[in-house]
């Protein structure tokens, strides 16, 4: 190393580098990592190569100093600088830190969950944070069973869950947690807040996007319809939107979850059956309900309201 260092200093004076540069270089060469690197790679380095690499070595020392502290001011935040020998000289390579890799993994995970009109934090819902109180035991067991079965045979048909229970017991949270667990295993899902989705579908008529929106929801591999029954619905939403989506998902055997304040029986008799105009349409309600029953299994959730 001494030789490499000496040669380097000679080289600098030879090239008439000014004194200030010399001082800077002195600190760079004092850096233990630079020292060891030059020593370890002396066979691959040439004097000219090192001369060319002055700015790289300087950058390396500077970036290393800022690393973990002033991440925002750095050349590549989240990346650790590393020296490599290259064409007789030295180059700086930036290696992603485990921190960055973890952040990226979390991002990818979130991207597997499409949440339409859902609370922002729903993508972070995690089964491990789900308190398995007595009243939720069954729901969580069924959720775990679904996840296990789905991961084992993603192409086979799996009956999903129809989570039924009063406001605030954690139905939406559980749907989010299931989506999260599936995402961790690489499977994307789509969550829609049904009442808001219905309003959007009505608005989509004006800009001709109804068909493409339905197509997207029809085909998504795992669909979760949250809060079905929360708002009164028109026969158009019931038959031409919900009916069409569910018909397709039933035919293609695509997993479809539901959450509702209503039981299946109540949903059929008190919600689907009566149109917004007050017409009683028991057969139409029955048709929708048959599809829901084909796709999902009713699970009651009780317990305290977690919103307060
Ligand atoms: P529901 O959909 O049944 O009305 P939510 O899923 O919206 O109920 O849950 C109500 C509130 O309690 C939400 O703020 C939710 O984030 C929170 N919550 C529900 N279950 C859990 C849980 N297991 N751990 C932490 N927070 C939860
Ligand atoms: Mg909810």
């Amino acid at each position: 190393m001494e030789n490499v260092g000496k040669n380097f200093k000679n080289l600098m004076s030879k090239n008439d580098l000014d004194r200030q540069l010399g001082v800077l270089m002195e600190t760079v060469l004092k850096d233990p990592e630079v020292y060891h690197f030059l020593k370890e790679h002396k066979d691959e380095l040439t004097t000219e190569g090192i001369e060319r690499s002055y700015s790289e070595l300087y950058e390396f020392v500077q970036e290393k100093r800022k690393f973990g502290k002033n991440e925002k001011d750095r050349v590549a935040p989240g990346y650790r600088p590393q020296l490599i020998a290259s064409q007789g000289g030295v180059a700086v390579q930036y290696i992603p830190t485990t921190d960055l890799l973890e952040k990226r993994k979390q991002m990818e995970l979130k991207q597997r969950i499409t949440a339409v009109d859902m609370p922002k934090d729903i993508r972070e819902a995690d089964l491990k944070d789900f308190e398995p109180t007595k009243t939720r035991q069954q729901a969580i067991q069924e959720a775990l069973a679904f996840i296990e079965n789905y991961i084992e045979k993603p192409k086979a048909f799996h009956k999903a869950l129809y989570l039924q229970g009063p406001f605030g017991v954690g139905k939406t949270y559980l749907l989010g947690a299931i989506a999260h667990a599936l995402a961790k295993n690489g499977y994307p899902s789509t969550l829609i807040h049904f009442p808001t989705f219905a309003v959007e579908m009505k608005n989509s008529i004006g800009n001709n996007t109804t068909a493409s929106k339905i197509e997207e929801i029809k085909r998504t591999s795992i669909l979760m319809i949250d809060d079905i029954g929360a708002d009164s619905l028109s026969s158009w939403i019931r038959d031409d939107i919900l009916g069409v989506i569910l018909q397709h998902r039933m035919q293609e055997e695509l997993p479809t979850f539901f959450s509702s304040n209503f039981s299946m029986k109540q949903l059929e008799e008190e919600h689907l059956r009566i149109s917004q105009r007050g017409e009683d349409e028991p057969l139409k309600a029955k048709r929708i309900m048959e599809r829901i029953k084909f796709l999902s299994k009713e699970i009651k959730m009780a317990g305290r309201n977690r919103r307060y």
Side-chain angles (χ1 to χ4, degrees), residues 40 75 158 187 281 308:
E40 215 173 289
V75 171
H158 302 283
Y187 299 108
E281 299 175 313
Y308 309 108

Side-chain angles (χ1 to χ4, degrees), residues 268 272 281-291:
E268 179 174 345
L272 297 171
E281 299 175 313
L283 285 176
K284 293 206 164 155
K286 208 176 172 60
R287 265 172 74 85
I288 300 282
M289 216 49 229
E290 273 164 9
R291 293 168 195 165

Side-chain angles (χ1 to χ4, degrees), residues 146-160:
F146 175 90
I147 296 161
E148 199 176 304
N149 294 336
Y150 186 84
I151 292 168
E152 204 175 294
K153 283 189 183 159
K155 295 231 155 65
F157 175 60
H158 302 283
K159 229 176 164 67

Side-chain angles (χ1 to χ4, degrees), residues 118-119 166-173 175 193 226-227 259 261 307:
M118 298 291 289
F167 187 72
V169 289
K171 302 181 297 296
T172 302
Y173 189 91
L175 289 182
H193 180 245
D226 190 38
D227 244 347
S259 90
N261 289 3
R307 290 184 203 232

